[in-house]
Amino acid sequence: MERARLESARPLARRPLVTLLTAAALAASGLTALTSAARAADADLARNDGFESALDGWTCTAGTTVTSPVHSGATALKATPAGADNARCAQTVSVKPDSQYTLSGYVQGTYVYLGASGTGTTDVSTWAQSAPDWQQLTTTFRTGPSTTKITIYTHGWYGTGAYHADDISLTGPGGETGQPPAAPGGLKTGSVTSSAVALSWSPVPGATGYAVYRDGTRVSTVTGTSTTVSGLTPSTAYSFQVTAVNDAGESARSATVTATTAQRPDDGGGSSGLPAHALVGYLHASFANGSGYTRMADVPDSWDVIDLAFGEPTSVTSGDIRFERCPVAECPNVESDAEFKAAIKAKQAAGKKVLISIGGQNGQVQLTSTAARDKFVSSVSAIIDEYGLDGLDIDFEGHSLSLNADDTDFKNPKTPVIVNLVSAVKTLKAKYGDDFVLTMAPETFFVQLGYQYYGTGKWGGQDPRAGAYLPVIHALRDDLTLLHVQDYNSGSIMGLDNQYHSMGGADFHIAMTDMLLTGFPVAGDANNVFPPLRPDQVAIGMPASTQAGNGHVSSAEVNKALNCLTRKTDCGSYATHGTWPDLRGLMTWSINWDRYSNWEFQKNFDAYFG
């Protein structure tokens, strides 16, 4: 489980280049100020100009709304540049050709821009180099002879901190926007599971998209006439409506339909026979790794899930997984196959789960073809059957998962290595039934980093592995027993507070786990939210000792993280978005390293939950 550290790909800070137009230059170009009479006849064309309706009408790469600071009203925009993203928020507005417009807004922060593009004449922008308090920015422009739509925007600058914006106005003659579309008809529910409801409705002429409401709250925007609302609570009644939208606005809401989610099964994607709070550990079954070999029979009863590390492929793209026991030359005290299998049965008789973990640092697995997918299913099945195992742990790392450049929607992946992995796991689950235990151990780069970046990004240039586990987790969330992200060997990751969090204390585990239990917009898109997982599906991944991996924390810090997440005490500066007493527990790399350290990790877990 040794990991390559997350590396920052931020460009060097660059000083912005701005052309300042003097009043004389404006007059010479014909961009004179509007008269009082003309202004009286003009309208404010910006939609949701004060961000009082969240980000409705705006498309933001890394934006959210906050209640403080605000210039007026209850909320304002907060957007945080990071890496190659300048946190642009934009809106398309209908305008009249050959007409004069004034764009203004209030901003706070360093290097904050306000501008308009697509004017048909000269695109304009204005900026504040430093605005410690609210500062008004204003610029004017004239549209071209055939211009009917322009884009207004605000953004920050690469490598600088968050900026705020409020009361963005565009005054001038309104364009021909037409009429909002009619309300959708034919809304009905489809398949209903314990955590999701499928919806569909009839198309509306003139609609460019549809907004979906759950219990009166807008939860997503889609372009088609169907969607699945996920992240729901089992055995709970929900109401749904949809509206149609276009450039002119949003329709009235449709008739309401209701659905009650199914009861969560006792096994399968739910508890799978695990105790309320479980301890998960990896057992070095095929190598010693400096920590010494631990026989299966010698694993203490405190360990509820034992992951055999590792099954590895014969080649990166073969899909042919093999599990080799540790050789005597490396592990002199290794037991025989018969003893090993007997010990597994004894653990299972005591209520423990034993899984084969696929991947690890050296086990790169890329299911690039359906042939590799099918070989993965058959070879993993052979391992499970030979040793009588309870299920599968997916520990794909390095370059096993990455997204193609055109794969931008985690809910509808199309990259072969993603699609084939999901298909393979669903096949295994169908083969072994509801008792099949499925766990995953991704790195933070592949999950929580998705809050900022997803794949190569809208403009390319990002690491295609960023957030690449999200489509796998989402597609398998109803089959998933446990997700235990590795909160170690990680670079700094931005949390839901839009602050960077680093390893070394309870704060990192709190922020990273809060993201999984709260859900988060992927790549900053408020209309594309990764739904929260159930707390019984989440465990926190930690190294058992300083030798096991970077990011080891003391038992006291482990307990602070657990206290904050399950009791909302000892939270420090990070404010969680809930309290989750049903948080499943802890995962560690590894059982061997914990034994090497006199079982410190296990003893603390037993004391905390005992």
Side-chain angles (χ1 to χ4, degrees), residues 265-274 353 429 434-438 481 584:
D266 292 333
D267 293 303
S271 66
S272 290
L274 296 179
K353 305 298 180 182
K429 178 65 185 262
D434 287 341
D435 290 337
F436 187 76
V437 179
L438 173 64
T481 309
R584 180 63 72 184

Side-chain angles (χ1 to χ4, degrees), residues 2-5 7 313 316-317 359-368 395-404 415-418 421 443 445-446 462-466 468-469:
E2 288 294 321
R3 303 291 184 267
R5 297 190 180 184
E7 296 182 0
V316 173
T317 59
Q361 178 189 8
N362 298 324
Q364 303 292 301
V365 182
Q366 297 176 2
L367 304 183
T368 56
D395 187 17
F396 284 16
E397 301 176 16
H399 290 273
S400 291
L401 296 181
S402 62
L403 295 160
N404 289 351
T415 303
V417 295
I418 304 291
L421 175 60
E443 300 161 278
F445 191 100
F446 295 88
Q462 296 175 185
D463 192 320
R465 299 173 298 166
Y469 246 95

